[in-house]
């Protein structure tokens, strides 16, 4: 069995760094041998859940601006799995969750940045799944819950997003995290570790500094999917650190 995870993908240039988080991700990748990865990316938004059904190698999407030129030369030749995409669609259908197959979209940096660190050989099939930031947290949780059988089949369900994600609050000179970011993450970590989904669903009104930490919810949605796919197992905090004062590098195993 491969336990579901939520991993923050941070800034696109994460893949160019060497830090504690990178080293942990590399160790996690070496310890896992999934048959495939189903990844919910914060950088693919659709009204109805979309599932990538690429037959062959994904095209690269460089969905960011103003970063070092070498980032735009990175190639991660991940291959899709139409068969697994159909399996995901059928599991969602069994739970009356509508979805569409997408046979053309490439992989965005929410996907390739994390996977290129975990599985640098690009030898594990990948199925991307979209999120809808206007969907309720309960619905995103139920999508993850519908896919729980995949974990028993040694398929890694991975949410790629972030907790604190306020680009306007980044500080390139920061050496310590902002206190408000730490307080917000403290609250999220506590509720995740206690599997308090009821309060997590209401984090916007309950968590300290929530509106400042998460001005838009797309990067939080993969957390709820991963939480739902983990069932009743006690979550494990894998890592916590910060970049630019507020960018959270957080990892959970469910």
């Amino acid at each position: 069995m491969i336990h579901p995870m939520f991993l923050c993908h941070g800034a696109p240039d994460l893949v160019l760094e060497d830090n504690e988080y990178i080293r942990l991700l590399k160790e996690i990748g070496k310890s896992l041998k999934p048959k495939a990865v189903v990844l919910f990316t914060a950088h693919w938004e659709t009204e109805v859940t979309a599932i990538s059904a690429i037959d062959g190698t994904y095209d690269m999407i460089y969905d960011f601006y103003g970063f070092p030129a070498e980032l735009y030369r990175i190639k991660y030749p991940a291959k899709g799995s139409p068969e697994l995409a159909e399996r995901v669609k059928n599991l969602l259908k069994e739970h009356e969750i509508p979805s569409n197959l997408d046979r053309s979209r490439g992989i965005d940096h929410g996907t390739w940045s994390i996977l290129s660190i975990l599985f640098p050989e690009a030898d594990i099939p990948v199925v991307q799944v979209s999120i809808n930031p206007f969907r309720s947290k309960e619905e995103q949780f139920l999508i993850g819950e519908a896919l729980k059988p995949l974990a028993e089949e040694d398929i890694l369900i991975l949410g790629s997003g972030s907790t604190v994600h306020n680009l306007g609050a980044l500080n390139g000179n920061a050496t310590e995290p902002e206190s408000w970011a730490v307080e917000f993450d403290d609250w999220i970590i506590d509720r995740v570790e206690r599997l308090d989904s009821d309060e997590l669903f209401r984090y916007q009104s309950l968590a300290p500094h929530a509106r400042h930490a998460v001005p838009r919810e797309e990067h939080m949605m993969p957390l709820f999917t991963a939480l739902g796919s983990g069932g009743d197992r006690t979550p494990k905090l894998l890592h916590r650190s910060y970049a630019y004062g507020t960018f959270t590098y957080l990892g959970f195993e469910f």
Side-chain angles (χ1 to χ4, degrees):
M1 177 178 179
I2 302 287
H3 293 173
M5 294 183 183
F6 171 78
L7 297 172
C8 291
H9 58 249
D13 58 358
L14 174 69
V15 298
L16 303 179
E17 298 177 7
D18 180 19
N19 55 41
E20 184 182 352
Y21 185 49
I22 292 285
R23 292 189 287 273
L24 172 69
L25 293 180
K26 288 180 177 179
E27 288 303 312
I28 290 173
K30 291 176 183 177
S31 69
L32 293 178
K33 297 296 180 185
K35 294 178 180 176
V37 177
V38 173
L39 187 145
F40 288 80
T41 170
H43 287 268
W44 188 12
E45 299 181 24
T46 60
E47 184 174 353
V48 176
T49 299
I51 306 160
S52 60
I54 294 293
D55 187 6
T57 303
Y58 284 94
D59 292 328
M60 297 288 289
I61 299 176
Y62 304 100
D63 48 342
F64 45 82
Y65 304 93
F67 285 90
E70 59 188 304
L71 266 181
Y72 303 89
R73 294 193 291 267
I74 288 177
K75 302 294 183 185
Y76 186 71
K79 289 182 170 54
S81 173
E83 298 80 13
L84 178 55
E86 287 283 358
R87 173 96 169 101
V88 171
K89 182 175 178 61
N90 288 336
L91 285 171
L92 295 178
K93 185 177 180 180
E94 289 174 12
H95 290 76
E96 300 182 345
I97 299 170
S99 64
N100 298 315
L101 295 179
D102 183 290
R103 303 185 191 277
S104 61
R105 188 180 188 272
I107 51 172
D108 57 61
H109 88 267
T111 301
W112 59 256
S113 63
I114 287 293
L115 294 186
S116 65
I117 301 168
L118 288 172
F119 310 116
E121 299 301 318
D123 54 356
I124 298 173
V126 177
V127 169
Q128 281 186 137
V129 187
S130 70
I131 57 93
N132 181 342
F134 306 106
R135 177 182 285 130
S136 72
K137 290 80 173 170
E138 291 89 344
E139 289 176 287
Q140 200 71 46
F141 181 92
L142 290 173
I143 288 172
E145 201 169 46
L147 301 186
K148 280 195 296 185
L150 297 179
E152 302 290 344
E153 301 167 21
D154 289 339
I155 294 170
L156 172 61
I157 301 172
L158 180 56
S160 175
S162 188
T163 48
V164 179
H165 191 266
N166 185 336
L167 300 181
L170 298 183
N171 178 0
N173 298 316
T175 57
E176 297 291 334
E178 296 286 347
S179 59
W180 59 264
V182 172
E183 290 171 18
F184 176 77
D185 280 339
D186 282 344
W187 191 95
I188 294 293
I189 291 168
D190 175 73
R191 271 59 176 186
V192 168
E193 290 183 329
R194 292 195 283 112
L195 285 175
D196 191 341
S197 58
D198 180 62
E199 288 209 352
L200 281 168
F201 294 156
R202 296 183 291 138
Y203 83 90
Q204 286 178 297
S205 59
L206 297 178
H209 317 291
R211 299 289 179 176
H212 190 48
V214 188
R216 194 172 185 275
E217 292 196 276
E218 78 282 357
H219 275 71
M220 280 289 287
M221 287 302 185
L223 171 62
F224 296 106
T225 307
L227 183 69
S229 63
D232 296 327
R233 291 184 298 273
T234 301
K236 177 183 178 182
L237 179 64
L238 299 172
H239 180 83
R240 178 186 186 178
S241 61
Y242 294 85
Y244 306 115
T246 64
F247 246 178
T248 305
Y249 292 153
L250 196 68
F252 287 110
E253 179 182 86
F254 297 99

